DNA sequence: GTTAGTGCAAAATCTTTGCATATTT
DNA sequence: AAATATGCAAAGATTTTGCACTAAC
């Protein structure tokens, strides 16, 4: 699916979340939608530049933070590096397995924590809003090379 | 338990991990041992200074990174901020519930992921080394105030 | 026309690194 | 004595912010 073709399709989505529709937000949203793995701000920036060369990195950060405020996006942080990764907050969410050697990520199906969170809410009286789960290790290839 | 009293007790522990015993490492290790929640580098720094005023922040980072290399410490990252948090890599590990309003953390008992990781290793052929799980929401007090 | 978003450059924050000195083994 | 760790200051990296300008409603 080509990013450019879809620009403009998400007006209603933005309106629903009470934020203005701009071409930068449209673009960043499409990039995240079309990515099957979390992206760094820098990666989003580079992909954005392919379509709109004048976009700035601060816009990327501002848009991503707006999306986070609206719960459209979640922020992760890859294990040993100090950079944030962003991905759409998909309703039926799963998680990723991260290879700490080659940094490859693999989707793992359904999130195992739903039931657990319910019981936690009861025992702790917290209002649980979400969670971040990152599982890491060595992928089959890197495992062999060890 | 007073941190200072215990300085020097961990010589063998360091030797076992093949790293030199220094008073800075001893101190940082004790601080982490006596904390029931993850600490930022800055927090470790401030606590360290109470005992050894001449310690430097770069030493904190270097020691923490050494500990991470040796699997003595794990690094987390608190949801919306961009700072890393460090805590001892306890063998029988649980996780924390984080209040996104007041930043309080609450221990939750046993980690629910052990069994799940085993089945994941089978289905994905990964060698799973660890995971990070952060569950967040509103604590009872902040929940009321909403 | 008003409100909100963007680009740019500069600042802020967190973390790492080079080097001379000090400490450990 | 050799190897490693530390403190300091400086550099790096990532993220945020102030301001003038532009685009969206």
């Amino acid at each position: 699916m080509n990013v450019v073709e879809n620009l403009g399709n998400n007006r209603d989505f933005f309106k629903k979340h009470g934020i203005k529709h701009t071409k930068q937000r449209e673009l960043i949203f499409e990039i995240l939608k079309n990515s099957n793995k979390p992206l760094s701000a820098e990666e989003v920036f580079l992909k954005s530049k392919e379509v709109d060369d004048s976009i700035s990195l601060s816009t990327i950060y501002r848009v991503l933070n707006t999306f986070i405020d609206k719960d459209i996006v979640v922020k992760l942080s890859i294990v040993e590096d100090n950079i944030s990764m962003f991905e759409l907050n998909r309703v039926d969410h799963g998680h990723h397995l991260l290879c700490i050697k080659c940094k490859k990520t693999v989707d793992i199906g359904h999130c195992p924590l739903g039931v657990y969170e319910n019981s936690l809410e009861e025992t702790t009286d917290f209002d649980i809003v979400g969670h971040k789960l990152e599982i890491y290790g060595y992928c089959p290839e890197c495992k062999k090379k060890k």
Side-chain angles (χ1 to χ4, degrees), chain A:
Chain A
M1 185 157 42
N2 186 324
V3 165
V4 186
E5 284 172 20
N6 293 293
L7 292 183
N9 285 355
N10 300 295
R11 287 205 116 79
D12 294 347
F13 178 83
F14 287 121
K15 179 171 266 177
K16 198 179 73 190
H17 283 88
I19 57 180
K20 276 188 184 172
H21 180 271
T22 69
K23 68 179 200 296
Q24 291 89 341
R25 284 174 180 171
E26 180 69 32
L27 177 53
I28 293 168
F29 184 65
E30 282 297 326
I31 287 169
L32 292 171
K33 230 165 82 178
N34 291 309
S35 172
N36 58 348
K37 61 180 211 298
L39 299 173
S40 67
E42 187 70 24
E43 286 170 327
V44 175
F45 180 50
L46 293 176
K47 279 175 194 290
S48 300
K49 280 192 93 94
E50 290 172 17
V51 177
D52 173 2
D53 186 58
S54 71
I55 201 169
S56 88
L57 183 56
S58 51
T59 296
I60 308 291
Y61 277 108
R62 273 192 281 231
V63 169
L64 289 173
N65 283 330
T66 302
F67 285 176
I68 287 171
D69 284 347
K70 301 294 178 189
D71 279 323
I72 298 167
V73 159
V74 292
K75 181 155 89 171
L76 304 170
S77 64
I78 290 303
V79 181
E80 62 268 46
D81 306 326
N82 296 302
I83 58 171
S84 301
M85 307 291 281
F86 305 84
E87 68 178 340
L88 282 197
N89 184 9
R90 302 184 193 274
V91 210
D92 178 22
H93 82 284
H95 294 281
H96 305 278
L97 241 173
L98 167 77
C99 176
I100 53 185
K101 192 115 188 270
C102 69
K103 300 286 197 284
K104 173 171 43 201
T105 61
V106 171
D107 275 1
I108 59 184
H110 183 66
C111 166
L113 288 165
V115 190
Y116 181 65
E117 282 187 359
N118 291 343
S119 80
L120 258 190
E121 288 201 323
E122 284 177 30
T123 50
T124 62
D125 200 28
F126 262 62
D127 177 12
I128 295 178
V129 168
H131 63 253
K132 299 198 306 181
L133 172 61
E134 298 170 48
I135 307 181
Y136 50 91
Y138 295 91
C139 71
E141 290 79 48
C142 294
K143 191 167 85 174
K144 271 183 222 135
K145 288 184 208 136
K146 274 206 299 185

